[in-house]
Amino acid sequence: MIQSIFSFLRRELQVRRNFSTTCTTLGTRGEKLQVDAALCGRSMVEMLGVLAIIGVLSVGAISGYSKAMEKYKINKVIQNQSHFIAQLVQYENLKENDGDMTPYMQKLNLFPDKYSAIHGTVYTEANGIWFHPFVRSGRFVIDYHLDFGAKKNFNVKLCTSLISSLAVPLHESVWRVWLYRGEDNTNGKFFYGDATCTQTNQCLRNVTQSDIYTLCNECLDGSGCVLALELF
């Protein structure tokens, strides 16, 4: 889109140069000077039209750039988390004791670059995602805090991507995935991995994009939600 704007401006400038050359050449012909100069000029209405077009193209370019950057950041989160989980599951001995395991994970250099600790246990990336890995009942659990702190700006796209692009591909290794209110971790919607899903427990591998989108949109009321990924 930005390239299109520059191309448009280059063409416009070239046209203006061509007009200027033509008017100068015609100006040597005496009596035709006034007529041809008027024909070569640009009216105020035309210039305003050009500026309006440039403004519309600029708005479209900025919007497209913002969407592309958001998509890039989300894809980076998925990539980092996939790498983190792939490394984490290799350390079965970490599951021997329940509780926070981040100090041990940090010593093992399991966290991707540019991750930093908050309150000693919750880690964050530069783009704002908070996640807390720990052990419960002999299973690795990762809580993703998707409300961006006190502002409660829940990111639906990040929520849907974490489920569809991170959790679903791990359906064979997942015990369950659930989304719950930040204030109450006893209620929520559950999707189960291959070994735990039944006729009454919805299988993660069969979840549709519509199911995921509907689930994540339930957290837009500002109450704040957490996505929990529990692995075997």
Side-chain angles (χ1 to χ4, degrees):
M1 180 65 73
I2 295 177
Q3 291 180 345
S4 299
I5 294 176
F6 286 138
S7 297
F8 175 81
L9 290 174
R10 282 196 297 268
R11 289 196 300 270
E12 185 64 21
L13 289 172
Q14 186 60 47
V15 169
R16 295 289 292 174
R17 292 193 192 98
N18 292 340
F19 277 137
S20 178
T21 302
T22 303
C23 289
T24 300
T25 302
L26 294 176
T28 62
R29 301 180 183 179
E31 70 279 5
K32 292 187 177 181
L33 176 61
Q34 293 182 349
V35 175
D36 290 328
L39 291 175
C40 290
R42 284 283 197 273
S43 69
M44 180 62 72
V45 174
E46 288 176 317
M47 291 306 298
L48 289 175
V50 171
L51 292 175
I53 293 173
I54 293 174
V56 172
L57 293 175
S58 299
V59 170
I62 293 172
S63 176
Y65 176 78
S66 299
K67 291 180 180 179
M69 286 302 298
E70 181 183 23
K71 184 177 181 180
Y72 168 78
K73 290 180 179 180
I74 291 176
N75 289 340
K76 191 65 176 179
V77 169
I78 301 302
Q79 179 183 346
N80 286 339
Q81 289 299 313
S82 297
H83 181 68
F84 170 72
I85 292 173
Q87 288 186 299
L88 178 64
V89 296
Q90 298 179 29
Y91 294 92
E92 288 288 325
N93 59 308
L94 291 178
K95 297 192 294 185
E96 294 176 359
N97 299 300
D98 285 4
D100 177 56
M101 293 287 108
T102 51
Y104 303 99
M105 297 174 188
Q106 190 174 22
K107 290 180 180 179
L108 293 170
N109 294 319
L110 295 182
F111 294 110
D113 294 337
K114 298 182 180 180
Y115 276 45
S116 57
I118 298 178
H119 307 307
T121 58
V122 180
Y123 274 71
T124 180
E125 290 191 71
N127 61 12
I129 179 177
W130 294 9
F131 79 107
H132 179 204
F134 59 97
V135 174
R136 180 171 60 211
S137 301
R139 290 186 290 270
F140 288 125
V141 183
I142 306 175
D143 280 349
Y144 295 97
H145 299 256
L146 305 177
D147 55 4
F148 290 89
K151 293 183 178 181
K152 303 298 183 183
N153 294 323
F154 188 81
N155 193 321
V156 173
K157 292 182 180 179
L158 180 57
C159 175
T160 57
S161 295
L162 283 171
I163 298 175
S164 61
S165 300
L166 181 65
V168 172
L170 295 172
H171 60 86
E172 294 180 353
S173 304
V174 169
W175 182 53
R176 66 180 179 180
V177 177
W178 56 305
L179 191 69
Y180 63 89
R181 302 289 178 182
E183 295 82 0
D184 180 10
N185 62 3
T186 60
N187 298 314
K189 176 68 175 179
F190 296 83
F191 298 136
Y192 290 84
D194 292 356
T196 50
C197 68
T198 62
Q199 291 183 346
T200 56
N201 295 337
Q202 188 171 5
C203 293
L204 181 61
R205 65 175 182 269
N206 296 330
V207 171
T208 66
Q209 285 294 327
S210 178
D211 294 332
I212 297 172
Y213 184 78
T214 300
L215 174 64
C216 289
N217 269 271
E218 293 178 0
C219 292
L220 286 175
D221 58 4
S223 61
C225 283
V226 177
L227 179 68
L229 175 62
E230 302 187 47
L231 305 166
F232 280 112

